[in-house]
């Protein structure tokens, strides 16, 4: 350990400094702190070098703790020898507690110390403590500290679970060891001995709250390594609970008391070692106590750990797959500990129910088959139940789902140990596949059952292609969860629709669901739609091939299997067209109808699309997307039914107008009729009622005030955006100016809805990313941006210079994400316009740069469709030249492509 820190040399150096400056002078303190800081930095650098040379994360944490131990001992020696020599014979015990007490210290972690005194009134010892703390603070150490007597420690531990937990992990550093021995003996006898249920309940409740704060899913794609579900704190909690309940001193002893098997203890150590290595690298790379494994850090940590691209997965995706696998294993260990504690009756039943998730129970369970019921949970009747009949590995989840009962942790533990029995023979078993299909298509309990099957490893074994995407993340800012978690959440959304729970929120989707003939096919398609993610080939096409093989195995008819394959292959098309095409253009609807072909497919595709988007993450689904999808559905249904969409469109336009009329009772009829005539049919079809009301009031106020330029600001905390509505005289550069004003104000546009009235006014609603948590702050920001838009439209500010300066200072995702830019010009998608689709890395000011480039090319933007998928922007413009014609000349198209590509390339070079 001398390579980390040479304590003897440090003590000798401090002694020489005391001799030179005198022990109580400011010069001595400064020189001593410099010497201590140098040794601390050297020890940290050595620990980092060892870690980077493929060292262990736990070893790194232990090395850092050792360096800190020696620094604290050197500080104490310095204080009692040179600053307070009269205290040399006093009674004081310095104790490491908390994480530091475990002998593991992350590079940026706090140091928790307990200064233990025999009693109050020891002034000399308290002076030593004070001087030690001042030296630690001078070293810029983050110190959590307490100075207490033994009686004070015990009194506070009885009242406070946090203090009780810190005392579980005390480690002697220096001083009078007898004080600590006395404290621990009394702590064990007076507190720990008879309070295990109370402590366990408190720790599990504390874990619930912590996980809720950090993110309730262990599959969040930017996980908190310390506090998140499946992270280090979960492992700590397991050990604290086990240590308290079983009265053991180290993890190895948990095998002796029967809590863990040897394999499970090795798993505990592997998880701990991996998470510590990741955490240490995060702290070293950021230079601070950073616990969130952000996208930017994921790339850097993956490189440090030596991951490389393989099998269609990038290096960072392979690293994160390993991370989420470890998080799942931490969950397995949690279930083992809970089951064992319940067996010992150390844990109240209500806490366990809250821990694993509440499930409704039937008073009288239906046939349990070969299983038994224990404390309202399905469990195994004998330990050889899976060895005798491997199909029981599927039947267990079927029985639990059918009865809406949880599964006992002991049974799940046996399932995990029996996974090798899920082989090709069981996968081909018709009865096993029938049971699985019933689990999948049960709207009441499918999501819970499938998540449990996935956690236990059964789902990935039974459907090996699903096993490939377990714990797989998609390295982008759009998806919030791993692929397997997204699929299970999507099935949960579908089950909610099927059970009639979304009628108010999703009226069209909910009304369509009962009319779908191929209901089973829809559930299977939902399970499989992203199952081929992470491969080199197009995941939609490969997923369709998987569906064609799996459908017959699950017992689907040939028609159902083909429906599943078609849905998987085309699961993105409805969302893409709804968000990036002009739904008022007949050619858009005709082209989509040719792909869909039947009303049954259209119904299934709508339901799948809605559930897919809603399962991506919080705030991704919104009313605007719902309105677009409804419009596309209704327009296409009429064409597929053999009619013409314009007939039905007139009915829906009229209905939309009548809905608005009912909300504006004070308006005279003639005034409302004049207002309704100002909007084209596309407006009435695309805009939801709350926005129609807002627009009507804004346009009415604008007319009364005789002001052709008006803005309105509204916040939407749930979606995390702020909406800016702009009314202004329409002209070719309008969108570019609005986008430029937003960019100049530091606002990032994530969506834009653009309409023109029949009397030449533009009605644009711009959605920007939210910057403040409080609505009042965000409204003030929105109003400032709205003023900037008005100033820009009046020509009062020079946008190009402000935007260029702002963009240069903005943070970029360019080093984290690679999104190759692309420009596609298509003249077949619209009768009147050329459709220009631009995709690339999103950034502040991008929309301004793109629209400015189009305006410089003398192109008129008739409509724009702005979509962001995390870090990727997909902006579609319907354009014509100044004569109203399409862009058909190849040379002209080439110029458009070059200018738009330059928008990305110029920024990258900068």
């Amino acid at each position: 350990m001398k390579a980390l820190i040479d304590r003897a040399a440090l003590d000798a150096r401090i002694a020489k400094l005391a001799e030179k400056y005198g022990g109580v002078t400011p010069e001595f303190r400064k020189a001593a702190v410099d010497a201590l800081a140098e040794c601390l930095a050297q020890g940290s650098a050595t620990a980092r070098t060892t870690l980077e040379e493929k060292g262990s994360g736990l070893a790194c944490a232990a090395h850092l703790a050792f360096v800190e131990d020696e620094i604290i001992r050197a500080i104490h020696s310095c204080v009692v020898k040179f600053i307070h020599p009269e205290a040399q014979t006093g009674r004081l015990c310095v104790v490491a507690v908390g994480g530091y007490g475990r002998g593991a210290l992350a590079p940026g972690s706090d140091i928790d110390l307990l200064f233990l005194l025999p009693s109050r009134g020891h002034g000399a010892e308290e002076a030593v403590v004070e001087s030690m703390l001042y030296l630690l603070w001078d070293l810029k150490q983050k110190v959590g500290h307490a100075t207490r007597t033994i009686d004070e420690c015990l009194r506070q531990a009885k009242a406070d679970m946090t203090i009780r937990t810190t005392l579980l992990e005390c480690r002697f550093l220096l001083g009078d060891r007898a004080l600590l021995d006395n404290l621990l003996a009394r702590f064990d006898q007076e507190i720990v001995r008879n309070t295990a249920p109370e402590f366990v309940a408190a720790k599990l409740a504390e874990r619930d709250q912590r996980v809720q704060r950090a993110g309730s899913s262990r599959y969040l794609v930017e996980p908190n390594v310390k506090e998140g579900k499946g992270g280090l704190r979960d492992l700590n909690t397991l050990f604290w609970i086990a240590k308290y309940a079983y009265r053991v001193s180290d993890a190895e002893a948990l095998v002796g008391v029967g809590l863990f098997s040897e394999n499970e203890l090795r798993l505990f150590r592997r998880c701990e070692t991996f998470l510590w290595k990741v955490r240490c690298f995060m702290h070293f790379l950021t230079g601070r106590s950073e616990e969130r494994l952000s996208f930017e850090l994921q790339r850097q940590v993956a490189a440090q750990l030596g991951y490389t691209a393989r099998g269609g997965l990038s290096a960072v995706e392979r690293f994160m797959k390993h991370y989420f696998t470890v998080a799942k294993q931490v969950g397995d260990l949690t279930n083992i500990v809970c089951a064992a504690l319940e067996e010992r009756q150390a844990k109240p039943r209500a806490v366990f129910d809250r821990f694993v998730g509440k499930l409704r129970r039937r008073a009288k369970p239906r046939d349990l088959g070969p299983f038994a019921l224990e404390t309202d949970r399905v469990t195994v009747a004998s330990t050889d139940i899976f060895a005798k009949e491997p199909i029981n590995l599927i039947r267990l989840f079927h029985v639990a789902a059918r009865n809406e009962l949880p599964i006992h942790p002991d049974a799940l533990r046996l399932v995990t140990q029996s996974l090798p029995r899920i082989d090709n023979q069981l996968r081909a078993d018709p009865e096993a596949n029938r049971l699985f299909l019933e689990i999948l298509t049960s709207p009441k309990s499918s999501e819970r059952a499938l998540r449990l099957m996935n956690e236990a490893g059964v789902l990935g074994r039974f459907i090996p292609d699903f096993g490939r995407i377990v714990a797989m993340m998609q390295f982008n800012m759009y998806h919030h969860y791993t692929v397997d978690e997204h699929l299970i959440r999507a099935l949960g959304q579908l089950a909610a629709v099927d059970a009639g729970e979304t009628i108010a929120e999703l009226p069209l989707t909910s009304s369509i669901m009962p009319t779908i003939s191929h209901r089973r096919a829809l559930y299977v398609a939902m399970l499989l739609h992203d199952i081929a993610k992470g491969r080199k080939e197009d995941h939609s096409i490969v997923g369709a091939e998987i569906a064609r093989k799996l459908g017959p195995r699950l017992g689907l008819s040939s028609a159902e299997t083909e429906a599943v394959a078609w849905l998987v292959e085309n699961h993105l098309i409805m969302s893409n067209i709804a968000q990036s095409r002009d739904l008022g253009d007949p050619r858009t609807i005709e082209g989509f109808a040719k792909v869909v072909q039947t009303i049954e497919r259209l119904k299934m595709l709508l339901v799948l699309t809605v559930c897919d988007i809603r399962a991506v993450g919080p705030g991704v689904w919104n009313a605007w997307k719902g309105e677009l999808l409804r419009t596309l559905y209704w327009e296409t249904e009429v064409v597929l039914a053999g009619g013409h969409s314009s007939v039905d469109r007139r009915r829906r336009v009229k209905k939309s107008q009548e809905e608005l009329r009912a909300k504006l009772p004070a308006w005279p009829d003639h005034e409302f009729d004049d207002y309704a005539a100002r909007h084209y049919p596309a407006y009435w079809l695309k805009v939801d009622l709350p926005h129609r009301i807002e627009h009507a009031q804004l346009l009415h106020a604008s007319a009364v005030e005789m002001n052709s330029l008006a803005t309105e600001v509204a916040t939407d905390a749930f979606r995390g955006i702020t909406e800016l509505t702009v009314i202004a005289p329409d002209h070719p550069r309008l969108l570019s100016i609005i986008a430029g004003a937003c960019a100049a104000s530091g606002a990032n546009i994530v969506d834009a809805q653009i309409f023109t009235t029949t009397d030449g006014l533009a009605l644009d609603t711009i959605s920007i990313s939210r910057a403040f948590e409080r609505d009042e702050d965000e409204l003030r920001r929105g109003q400032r941006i709205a003023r900037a838009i008005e100033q820009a439209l009046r020509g009062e500010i020079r946008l190009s210079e402000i935007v260029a300066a702002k963009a240069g200072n903005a943070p970029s995702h360019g080093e984290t994400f690679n999104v190759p830019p692309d420009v596609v010009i298509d003249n077949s998608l619209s009768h009147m316009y050329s459709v220009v689709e631009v995709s690339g890395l999103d950034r502040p000011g991008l929309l301004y740069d793109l629209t400015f480039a189009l305006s410089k090319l003398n192109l008129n933007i008739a409509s724009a469709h702005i979509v962001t998928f995390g870090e990727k922007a997909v902006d579609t413009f319907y354009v014509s030249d100044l004569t109203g014609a399409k862009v058909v000349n190849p040379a002209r198209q080439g110029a458009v492509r070059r200018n738009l590509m330059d928008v990305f390339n110029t920024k990258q070079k900068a």
Side-chain angles (χ1 to χ4, degrees):
M1 290 290 193
K2 197 175 257 192
L4 289 166
I5 183 170
D6 188 338
R7 168 74 189 292
L10 177 59
D11 285 345
R13 183 176 172 186
I14 290 174
K16 285 184 180 179
L17 292 171
E19 187 179 334
K20 179 179 179 181
Y21 295 111
V24 292
T25 64
E27 292 81 7
F28 169 70
R29 286 181 63 91
K30 182 180 182 308
V33 167
D34 289 343
L36 290 162
E38 186 181 314
C39 287
L40 192 61
Q42 178 190 323
S44 178
T46 303
R48 179 172 184 172
T49 300
T50 305
L51 180 69
E52 289 172 346
E53 292 172 352
K54 299 190 176 178
S56 158
L58 265 176
C60 177
H63 289 162
L64 291 170
F66 173 78
V67 171
E68 193 64 48
D69 291 353
E70 294 294 84
I71 290 291
I72 289 170
R73 290 178 184 126
I75 287 174
H76 178 263
S77 173
C78 170
V79 170
V80 298
K81 284 181 180 177
F82 308 118
I83 300 176
H84 294 292
E86 72 282 357
Q88 285 189 58
T89 57
R91 291 189 67 194
L92 169 70
C93 183
V94 182
V95 183
V97 294
Y100 180 37
R102 286 192 299 276
L105 194 63
S109 291
D110 297 357
I111 299 135
D112 294 319
L113 295 173
L114 170 64
F115 296 97
L116 198 56
L117 299 172
S119 61
R120 286 296 179 184
H122 289 254
E125 284 82 356
E126 290 175 8
V128 168
V129 170
E130 184 178 344
S131 294
M132 288 180 69
L133 287 172
Y134 275 120
L135 285 171
L136 285 166
W137 291 331
D138 287 345
L139 281 169
K140 297 183 171 53
Q141 299 264 278
K142 293 178 287 183
V143 186
H145 62 94
T147 304
R148 297 189 181 112
T149 65
I150 293 175
D151 287 338
E152 287 170 344
C153 285
L154 295 173
R155 186 166 57 251
Q156 295 198 31
K158 286 176 182 177
D160 189 329
M161 286 295 171
T162 302
I163 294 174
R164 204 178 296 188
T165 306
T166 62
L167 292 180
L168 274 178
E169 296 189 299
C170 287
R171 185 168 58 85
F172 175 77
L173 288 179
L174 60 93
D176 188 350
R177 184 186 285 270
L179 283 175
L180 179 60
D181 292 342
N182 187 9
L183 169 64
L184 293 180
R186 288 184 60 188
F187 176 63
D188 185 69
Q189 288 299 311
E190 297 176 23
I191 298 177
V192 175
R193 187 178 179 186
N194 298 312
T195 58
E198 173 192 349
F199 180 80
V200 171
K203 285 291 119 181
L204 291 179
E206 182 185 291
R207 176 192 182 274
D208 289 347
Q209 295 166 4
R210 169 175 50 79
V211 165
Q212 197 63 41
R213 288 193 302 270
S216 58
S217 173
R218 68 172 58 95
Y219 302 114
L220 289 169
V221 293
E222 288 188 297
N224 187 309
V225 174
K226 180 183 177 185
E227 303 287 351
K229 194 171 185 179
L232 273 168
R233 185 67 81 208
D234 272 2
L235 283 179
N236 295 341
T237 301
L238 291 187
F239 184 59
W240 293 332
I241 288 172
K243 190 174 183 180
Y244 203 102
Y246 286 85
R247 319 273 295 282
V248 295
S249 58
D250 55 56
E252 277 66 24
L254 296 175
V255 175
V257 297
L259 179 63
F260 284 158
S261 67
E262 291 284 357
N263 285 339
E264 288 159 351
L265 178 63
R266 282 194 290 271
L267 178 61
F268 182 95
R269 287 302 189 202
R270 280 202 305 273
C271 293
E272 186 180 35
T273 299
F274 175 81
L275 291 172
W276 265 109
K277 192 163 192 173
V278 171
R279 188 181 182 212
C280 284
F281 270 125
M282 289 168 64
H283 285 203
F284 278 133
L285 288 166
T286 59
R288 62 179 184 274
S289 180
E290 178 58 68
E291 309 296 356
R292 186 173 67 96
L293 189 50
S294 65
F295 289 119
E296 182 182 356
L297 272 175
Q298 286 170 21
R299 273 196 190 280
Q300 298 176 60
V301 175
Q304 291 282 2
L305 294 177
Y307 287 87
T308 56
R310 189 187 303 164
L313 292 179
S314 66
V316 68
E317 286 169 338
R318 288 188 61 230
F319 159 56
M320 291 306 294
K321 183 176 174 68
H322 188 181
Y323 178 89
F324 290 120
T325 300
V326 167
K328 175 194 170 301
Q329 290 167 340
V330 173
D332 295 341
L333 292 169
T334 299
N335 289 335
I336 290 167
V337 170
C338 285
L341 290 171
E342 185 178 341
E343 189 116 355
R344 287 170 55 91
Q345 298 182 332
K347 169 171 53 64
R349 175 61 202 277
V351 173
F352 183 78
D353 284 349
R354 184 169 65 248
F355 187 61
V356 299
K358 294 176 182 176
L359 291 166
R360 293 171 298 178
R361 297 180 181 81
R362 296 179 179 274
K364 292 183 179 179
R366 286 182 276 174
D367 180 25
L368 295 175
F371 302 102
L373 203 63
E374 183 180 327
T375 57
D376 285 337
R377 285 169 293 183
V378 181
T379 191
V380 293
S382 63
T383 56
D384 61 354
I385 190 169
F386 302 132
K388 287 181 177 177
E389 290 188 72
I391 194 174
N392 286 330
L393 285 160
I394 308 299
R395 187 175 282 124
L396 172 66
F397 296 94
H398 182 266
V399 168
R402 184 177 59 183
N403 291 286
E404 298 181 66
L405 288 167
I407 299 175
H408 197 284
D410 284 346
L412 289 172
R413 190 177 191 179
L414 188 59
V415 166
T416 304
Q417 294 167 354
S418 306
L419 287 177
R421 300 188 185 281
I422 303 178
D423 54 16
N424 287 333
Q425 185 177 346
L426 182 61
R427 294 183 197 109
D429 187 323
E431 177 63 7
N433 283 284
R434 183 191 69 79
L435 292 172
F436 175 74
L437 192 59
E438 283 193 10
I439 295 170
L440 177 65
T441 56
S442 168
K444 287 187 177 180
S445 53
S446 60
E447 182 181 5
R448 289 194 298 266
L450 289 168
R451 181 170 285 110
L452 206 52
M453 291 179 80
N454 191 36
E455 295 280 351
V458 172
L459 191 52
R461 292 281 299 192
F462 193 64
I463 302 177
D465 285 302
F466 191 93
R468 290 184 62 162
I469 52 93
V470 169
M472 179 189 291
M473 73 162 286
Q474 300 164 76
F475 191 67
N476 58 56
M477 293 171 64
Y478 179 60
H479 293 92
H480 293 236
Y481 306 106
T482 55
V483 181
D484 56 327
E485 177 69 6
H486 165 68
L487 292 177
I488 291 170
R489 283 174 178 260
L491 282 160
Q493 291 288 338
L494 176 58
V497 172
D498 198 9
E501 297 172 5
T502 59
I503 294 171
E505 194 176 358
L506 304 171
L508 176 60
T509 307
S510 299
S511 66
I512 281 171
M513 187 67 200
T515 71
I516 290 174
S517 302
H518 294 316
R519 177 180 168 278
R520 296 196 309 176
L522 181 56
Y523 271 91
V524 175
M526 192 66 74
L527 175 69
L528 302 183
H529 74 270
D530 278 345
I531 201 166
K533 281 282 179 80
R535 308 197 193 201
K536 295 177 182 177
E537 306 86 354
D538 185 322
H539 81 281
S540 299
I541 294 172
V542 178
E545 293 171 1
I546 293 170
R548 289 189 177 95
K549 293 176 184 174
L550 188 62
R553 193 196 110 183
L554 293 175
L556 299 185
S557 68
S558 57
E560 287 176 311
T561 299
E562 194 51 41
V564 174
W566 184 88
L567 283 168
V568 172
E569 186 168 346
N570 295 279
H571 72 274
L572 296 173
I573 189 172
M574 192 169 194
S575 172
N576 289 342
I577 289 176
Q579 295 182 73
S580 62
R581 295 290 179 264
D582 185 351
L583 303 183
D585 192 318
R587 190 165 285 187
T588 299
I589 307 305
E590 291 164 10
F592 181 59
K594 284 179 182 177
V595 175
V596 177
Q597 297 181 347
T598 70
I599 290 179
E600 176 73 1
R601 280 182 173 180
L602 179 64
K603 290 176 182 177
M604 290 193 292
L605 187 57
L606 174 71
V607 176
L608 186 144
T609 302
V610 169
C611 295
D612 186 16
I613 296 173
R614 287 167 66 86
V616 167
V620 175
W621 173 262
N622 56 50
W624 168 242
K625 289 175 184 172
E627 199 70 29
L628 291 176
L629 288 168
R630 282 192 291 274
T631 297
L632 179 55
Y633 176 87
W634 288 122
E635 293 284 303
T636 309
E637 186 196 51
V638 175
V639 173
L640 292 174
H644 193 276
S645 62
S646 61
V647 177
D648 188 65
R649 184 184 293 133
R650 283 197 293 272
R651 282 201 299 269
R652 288 190 292 115
V653 167
K654 185 169 179 57
K655 181 184 176 185
S656 179
Q657 292 172 346
E658 288 170 351
E659 287 175 342
L660 178 61
R661 182 71 186 94
K663 296 295 183 181
L664 301 172
W667 285 35
D669 287 341
H670 70 277
E671 193 171 318
F672 181 83
D673 291 342
D674 289 344
Y675 173 78
R678 295 178 70 182
H679 292 295
Y680 291 103
Y683 173 85
W684 297 106
L685 294 171
K686 291 181 181 179
V687 180
D688 62 13
L689 182 59
H691 283 94
R692 294 201 300 271
I693 297 170
E694 178 190 317
H695 294 165
Q697 293 168 341
L698 185 59
L699 280 164
H700 182 264
S702 173
V704 169
E705 295 168 10
M706 300 182 67
N707 184 3
S708 61
L709 175 58
T711 56
E712 182 91 349
V713 180
T715 61
D716 187 335
F718 178 74
R719 288 169 59 197
I721 56 102
T722 294
E723 285 188 345
L724 307 171
T725 304
V726 181
I727 295 173
D730 192 27
H731 62 83
R733 289 196 59 225
L734 177 64
L735 179 59
S736 179
I737 293 171
I738 293 173
C742 288
S745 304
N748 185 42
I749 296 175
V750 295
D751 196 6
Q753 305 165 32
I754 298 167
F755 297 102
T756 306
T757 63
T758 56
D759 53 353
L761 282 180
L763 175 58
D764 297 350
T765 300
I766 310 298
S767 298
I768 60 174
S769 298
R770 191 179 174 102
F772 295 101
E773 187 174 337
R774 288 161 52 91
D775 276 349
E776 310 92 274
D777 297 332
E778 186 61 22
L779 277 172
R780 280 193 291 272
R781 170 179 174 257
Q783 287 157 0
R784 177 175 54 79
I785 297 167
R787 285 195 297 273
I789 291 172
E790 292 183 14
Q791 289 175 321
L793 289 171
R794 295 191 189 103
E796 296 171 4
I797 55 177
R798 294 176 62 85
L799 281 178
S800 55
E801 296 172 5
I802 301 173
V803 172
K806 201 78 178 179
N809 297 326
S812 171
H813 295 299
E815 294 179 4
T816 305
F817 299 102
N818 178 30
V819 184
D822 191 27
V823 177
V824 176
I825 301 172
D826 196 324
N827 281 310
S828 67
L829 298 175
S830 172
H831 288 294
M832 297 176 60
Y833 302 104
S834 293
V835 178
V836 180
E837 184 176 275
V838 186
S839 60
L841 186 68
D842 191 26
R843 58 172 169 80
L846 176 62
L847 184 59
Y848 169 72
D849 290 341
L850 293 173
T851 52
F852 186 71
L854 289 171
S855 66
K856 282 200 305 180
L857 290 162
N858 294 319
L859 293 175
N860 183 46
I861 301 172
S863 70
H865 308 269
I866 312 304
V867 188
T868 53
F869 300 98
E871 75 286 353
K872 181 179 181 179
V874 181
D875 299 344
T876 306
F877 305 97
Y878 281 64
V879 303
S880 61
D881 63 20
L882 295 182
T883 67
K886 292 183 178 182
V887 182
V888 294
N889 183 282
R892 181 91 161 111
Q893 289 184 357
V896 172
R897 285 194 189 91
R898 283 193 303 275
N899 278 268
L900 293 175
M901 288 294 286
D902 283 347
V903 168
F904 295 98
N905 296 334
T906 303
K907 178 65 180 178
Q908 287 171 357
K909 289 173 186 173

